[in-house]
Amino acid sequence: MAVKQDAYERFFSVHPEQNQLAKSLGEAFDVTFGNQHGGQFFWLCEPKEIVAERFGLQKEIIVLYSPHWKTDARTLTNLERISSSSEFRHRVDKVVAIIIHEGDAETTNELLKQTNDWVIIPFQANELRDSKRGELFIRSRLAERIGTFDLFGMSSPIKHDKYFYGREPLIQELIQRISVRKENSGIFGLRKTGKTSVLYALQRRLFEKKVLVEYIDCQGPGVYGGRWWQLLQEIATRLCQTASESFGLKVKDNGLYDQHNAANSLNHLVKQITRSEKINQLVLLLDEIEFITPGISNTLGQHWDEDYLPFWQTIRSISQEISGGLVFIVAGVNPSSVEQSHFGQIQNPIFQLAVPYYLESLTKQDVRDMVRSIGKYSGFSFHEECYGLLQSTYGGHPYLIRLACSEVVRSFSKINADKKIDIGIEVFEQRQSSIKNRLSQPIKDILLSLVWWYPDEYELLLILADGDVSFVLEFLDETPEKAVQFVRYGLVHQDSGTFAIRDLRDFLNSHGESYKKEVSPFKRGDLPLELLPEQINLADLSILFEKRTEVEVALRKYLIMVLGFKFGFDDKLISNQIAKGLRARSGGLDQSQLFVGRRPQEAVNELFLSDLKPLFKANWDDLGPTFDKKLDRFEMNMDTINIARRFEAHAKPVPNIDKDEFINSYSWFKTRLSRVPGLL
């Protein structure tokens, strides 16, 4: 049975064309439900036993059917809305989904590149209508598509509960502290242990309780580079924006944010927001708190030696005045922001105001849940002894464990459509050398914070790695506070003094002393980029800058050329036409003023690439023919080209996938703009 009787009677009987498509899934699924949402149709499919076992699908999966000739971003939006709706969120799988579309396969595949949170299997509808398709066509496509995703190798913070493991008790404790007890907290741990993922999890859970949660990454130059009153203004701006976008609450902030008025201005704004029935509480999540902590911030942030006091006095006083209506959580590696009573002669205003929590290592059960669950989707079955091996070898460090598994599963080139691939501990032993190479950079990242902020502990680790366990144990017995640091960061077993992470010991033996000499001379975070764990390829940045600029300049010339011919090269008419299509930038800047008293040929150079996108869209009838009138492709490629600004502005490494997508979009523009003489 492909379409269950109840689903047929309620929906598919009046949609016979969809009924035929749904029946074609019968090799792998039974269709249990059908409905319409957001101009598209969706079904729920129950995996058959062999498919559930092979692909780890324990719940129904969402199938989106798009009857339109093009598949656009609404598809991904609808997927998120359906999966998170109260009716379906406990019923459907949150990793795997299917899209059946009538549109162009290339366009759909380009769209699917925009999400890393779902494994989406696309089918062109005519593929399913083809009676000659193979017996294992559906299962083969599932295996093929899932096999292209390295779910173990995800390096970014986890933004969805479906990939979040091992921290649930901490999350529940923090939610109680925030919502019930109105108390502040701190989250601390080594790099890549999941601090930011915990903050994102809090943001997701608290939203359901009508709590406005604002995440602030303090390592951004726009945060730590500003003075305390400027950071208060940034917080105010973000609170207003989130209140509007997420809660539908329009808030007008008339405050002045200079050093004399900023504290009172934020105070009035927070009270205004919390008086609303739409928002119960405000929570500030300040990640990478070291960057605004006295004594350890970098050169651009040295003013926090002085600014720390008025900033936190403001946050503390607002929180006390509204009885916990404003709560904060700080996160980082170094806990001095909440554990140090004084900075020089200055009393720490949040000392003992926020209880610090240290991210503990994953237990064997946590490791089992994580590896087993991800392995199911990926087509791999791990033997039971693997979980203990991973927990003991990598000290329960979630990121290192996932990378070790990633290195193992990547060694299998062929993914079976019918059954999982079994992995035992012998496979990890065979891949030990490649795993060690894969982990060398993350281990540098872990040690970096120790070299800077815990130099004494780092020296002890070097001695311990050299084999002098008795000396280290005697020292720790005399100075128990040092032992606490080691243990709570999951580096050393307290009873034996042995390393919790095997490859950490090996790295210290081989490179520990030289790495310290490279890093330690650079104080307050001013480490040269070439010594950081992830190096930046300047050639990549150069290519992105050069080619984005080439496209941007050509688009400006093309705009002026087309509108010039349309309006007889009348400067005023051209300027008016451009001004009508512009959107206000953040901060309310009226860009039409750029064209007052200036020729459009000059003023157009003030526009960003992101400004050109809505401008071209507003004049698409005139500008579209050169781009084959494919507005969706134009917008998608504009977004891809514009990622160059993100990497340039932050001098970030360029992932290969982003670089490849950029080059593809650049080629698309160059091919079409080359049709117009004089543009390129």
Side-chain angles (χ1 to χ4, degrees):
M1 179 184 294
V3 179
K4 292 199 172 181
Q5 188 64 28
D6 185 55
Y8 178 79
E9 293 174 357
R10 289 174 176 266
F11 179 79
F12 290 96
S13 60
V14 295
H15 296 283
E17 73 289 349
Q18 292 189 50
N19 186 56
Q20 288 301 115
L21 290 172
K23 287 169 63 177
S24 69
L25 300 178
E27 163 206 329
F29 300 98
D30 290 324
V31 183
T32 61
F33 182 83
N35 207 339
Q36 187 170 5
H37 181 87
Q40 296 177 325
F41 298 92
F42 75 97
W43 319 330
L44 299 186
C45 292
E46 184 179 78
K48 293 190 173 179
E49 184 176 354
I50 188 172
V51 174
E53 173 59 28
R54 163 60 181 83
F55 297 103
L57 301 174
Q58 305 305 313
K59 297 182 179 181
E60 293 170 282
I61 71 166
I62 298 172
V63 176
L64 289 169
Y65 170 62
S66 176
H68 309 295
W69 66 271
K70 69 174 182 178
T71 310
D72 57 29
R74 289 179 301 169
T75 303
L76 301 181
T77 302
N78 288 337
L79 178 58
E80 289 291 349
R81 288 176 177 171
I82 294 166
S83 66
S84 60
S85 68
S86 57
E87 184 178 0
F88 300 117
R89 64 184 175 186
H90 298 301
R91 180 176 172 180
V92 300
D93 190 271
K94 299 294 183 66
V95 175
V96 176
I98 289 176
I99 287 179
I100 300 174
H101 61 93
E102 303 284 357
D104 174 60
E106 181 183 352
T107 301
T108 302
N109 287 330
E110 288 294 327
L111 175 69
L112 298 186
K113 291 179 182 179
Q114 297 179 20
T115 177
N116 294 319
D117 300 319
W118 288 86
V119 178
I120 300 177
I121 295 88
F123 291 95
Q124 214 281 338
N126 285 334
E127 291 182 294
L128 299 179
R129 296 186 182 109
D130 185 0
S131 59
K132 297 180 181 180
R133 65 180 186 275
E135 181 182 352
L136 298 179
F137 177 71
I138 303 296
R139 277 180 273 175
S140 296
R141 180 66 60 84
L142 284 168
E144 173 190 336
R145 183 69 179 174
I146 292 175
T148 64
F149 285 80
D150 184 3
L151 296 178
F152 283 112
M154 293 182 297
S155 60
S156 299
I158 306 301
K159 294 186 177 181
H160 288 78
D161 283 340
K162 54 195 171 189
Y163 302 123
F164 190 72
Y165 299 94
R167 307 297 187 197
E168 195 60 35
L170 174 60
I171 293 294
Q172 294 302 324
E173 169 70 13
L174 291 171
I175 288 176
Q176 286 292 311
R177 287 182 58 81
I178 293 168
S179 300
V180 179
R181 300 192 292 248
K182 316 292 185 187
E183 294 173 342
N184 310 296
S185 307
I187 303 173
F188 301 97
L190 293 175
R191 302 174 74 87
K192 294 293 188 180
T193 51
K195 300 183 295 298
T196 303
S197 298
V198 168
L199 297 182
Y200 284 153
L202 287 172
Q203 197 171 33
R204 293 191 299 272
R205 311 287 179 86
L206 290 169
F207 178 78
E208 300 174 0
K209 299 178 180 291
K210 295 168 63 175
V211 177
L212 192 164
V213 182
E214 193 59 45
Y215 171 83
I216 299 165
D217 185 355
C218 296
Q219 72 173 330
V223 174
Y224 72 75
R227 299 302 302 269
W228 67 271
W229 60 88
Q230 293 172 320
L231 180 52
L232 292 183
Q233 182 176 23
E234 176 66 17
I235 291 172
T237 301
R238 295 192 189 191
L239 291 177
C240 290
Q241 183 177 354
T242 304
S244 173
E245 294 177 353
S246 300
F247 296 88
L249 176 64
K250 303 295 183 181
V251 181
K252 189 172 183 180
D253 184 10
N254 295 316
L256 294 174
Y257 289 90
D258 54 31
Q259 61 188 110
H260 303 294
N261 299 288
N264 287 335
S265 294
L266 184 65
N267 189 316
H268 296 321
L269 175 65
V270 168
K271 289 178 179 177
Q272 182 183 352
I273 294 174
T274 53
R275 281 196 295 266
S276 165
E277 295 181 356
K278 295 183 177 182
I279 297 174
N280 294 331
Q281 192 179 23
L282 301 179
V283 178
L284 299 178
L285 308 177
L286 290 102
D287 201 2
E288 304 287 354
I289 193 64
E290 293 87 2
F291 282 82
I292 62 170
T293 299
I296 56 177
S297 56
N298 66 11
T299 299
L300 287 178
Q302 287 190 23
H303 56 272
W304 286 100
D305 291 357
E306 299 176 359
D307 286 0
Y308 186 85
L309 180 63
F311 174 79
W312 282 111
Q313 284 177 330
T314 301
I315 301 299
R316 176 172 180 162
S317 65
I318 295 174
S319 179
Q320 290 175 337
E321 283 189 29
I322 58 177
S323 303
L326 172 68
V327 172
F328 68 83
I329 294 181
V330 297
V333 176
N334 190 306
S336 60
S337 58
V338 296
E339 288 192 342
Q340 196 164 318
S341 61
H342 289 76
F343 296 107
Q345 302 300 314
I346 301 174
Q347 186 174 0
N348 184 358
I350 58 172
F351 173 60
Q352 295 186 334
L353 189 63
V355 174
Y357 290 84
Y358 291 86
L359 291 187
E360 298 178 354
S361 304
L362 296 186
T363 65
K364 179 182 175 181
Q365 183 60 45
D366 293 333
V367 173
R368 184 180 189 275
D369 292 342
M370 178 177 72
V371 174
R372 188 167 178 265
S373 178
I374 297 176
K376 278 183 177 180
Y377 289 114
S378 304
F380 295 91
S381 176
F382 292 83
H383 295 181
E384 197 67 30
E385 62 268 22
C386 290
Y387 309 125
L389 172 73
L390 289 167
Q391 202 281 336
S392 61
T393 302
Y394 304 107
H397 192 296
Y399 184 53
L400 298 182
I401 290 171
R402 291 204 314 271
L403 287 185
C405 293
S406 170
E407 193 61 30
V408 164
V409 301
R410 282 167 54 175
S411 65
F412 292 88
S413 57
K414 187 176 180 180
I415 306 298
N416 195 300
D418 256 352
K419 61 182 180 180
K420 293 188 179 70
I421 297 173
D422 288 332
I423 294 180
I425 58 175
E426 70 280 356
V427 183
F428 284 94
E429 292 169 352
Q430 293 166 3
R431 303 293 300 174
Q432 183 174 335
S433 177
S434 61
I435 292 173
K436 183 175 293 187
N437 290 335
R438 182 84 177 272
L439 297 187
S440 62
Q441 293 291 3
I443 285 178
K444 276 189 176 183
D445 208 9
I446 291 170
L447 291 175
L448 182 62
S449 53
L450 294 177
V451 177
W452 274 340
W453 295 318
Y454 299 104
D456 292 342
E457 285 83 346
Y458 188 82
E459 289 293 338
L460 284 174
L461 287 177
L462 289 175
I463 296 172
L464 189 61
D466 196 40
D468 198 344
V469 178
S470 58
F471 172 83
V472 174
L473 288 177
E474 289 176 10
F475 181 85
L476 294 180
D477 188 52
E478 296 173 1
T479 55
E481 69 277 3
K482 301 290 186 184
V484 171
Q485 295 278 36
F486 278 140
V487 173
R488 68 185 181 185
Y489 281 119
L491 294 169
V492 173
H493 295 300
Q494 187 172 12
D495 51 350
S496 63
T498 56
F499 279 91
I501 303 172
R502 181 194 62 194
D503 289 350
L504 182 62
R505 178 197 62 211
D506 296 341
F507 178 87
L508 287 169
N509 272 328
S510 303
H511 310 291
E513 192 64 40
S514 60
Y515 186 56
K516 182 191 71 171
K517 289 178 180 177
E518 286 181 336
V519 173
S520 57
F522 302 96
K523 304 300 182 182
R524 303 172 67 81
D526 300 321
L527 189 68
L529 293 176
E530 65 269 16
L531 294 181
L532 286 172
E534 194 171 5
Q535 296 188 24
I536 295 171
N537 188 330
L538 296 179
D540 285 346
L541 292 181
S542 177
I543 290 172
L544 263 62
F545 176 77
E546 176 185 342
K547 295 187 181 302
R548 178 188 56 74
T549 303
E550 182 183 353
V551 171
E552 188 171 339
V553 171
L555 290 173
R556 291 175 185 158
K557 290 165 65 176
Y558 178 60
L559 174 70
I560 294 296
M561 182 184 298
V562 172
L563 295 185
F565 281 115
K566 180 175 182 178
F567 294 107
F569 291 96
D570 184 310
D571 286 354
K572 184 175 181 181
L573 292 178
I574 296 172
S575 294
N576 289 342
Q577 185 67 14
I578 293 176
K580 285 195 302 183
L582 290 173
R583 294 179 181 174
R585 291 180 187 164
S586 58
L589 175 64
D590 183 2
Q591 297 182 86
S592 64
Q593 296 302 309
L594 296 171
F595 292 83
V596 176
R598 305 170 72 184
R599 298 198 67 202
Q601 292 88 338
E602 176 189 357
V604 75
N605 291 323
E606 301 289 340
L607 300 180
F608 296 143
L609 188 63
S610 57
D611 297 323
L612 295 177
K613 178 181 169 183
L615 192 52
F616 269 65
K617 187 175 181 181
N619 294 278
W620 192 248
D621 288 342
D622 299 311
L623 302 170
T626 293
F627 304 100
D628 308 319
K629 294 187 177 181
K630 294 183 177 181
L631 179 58
D632 56 329
R633 291 292 300 277
F634 176 85
E635 292 185 287
M636 178 188 70
N637 285 310
M638 283 288 278
D639 291 338
T640 303
I641 284 286
N642 205 37
I643 68 168
R645 284 197 181 277
R646 182 170 77 242
F647 295 113
E648 293 164 21
H650 298 287
K652 293 171 60 175
V654 185
N656 286 333
I657 186 171
D658 286 336
K659 185 170 66 174
D660 292 343
E661 290 177 2
F662 176 91
I663 295 300
N664 288 337
S665 292
Y666 164 77
S667 300
W668 187 87
F669 275 113
K670 186 169 184 178
T671 299
R672 283 147 186 82
L673 290 170
S674 295
R675 300 169 182 170
V676 182
L679 291 186
L680 293 173

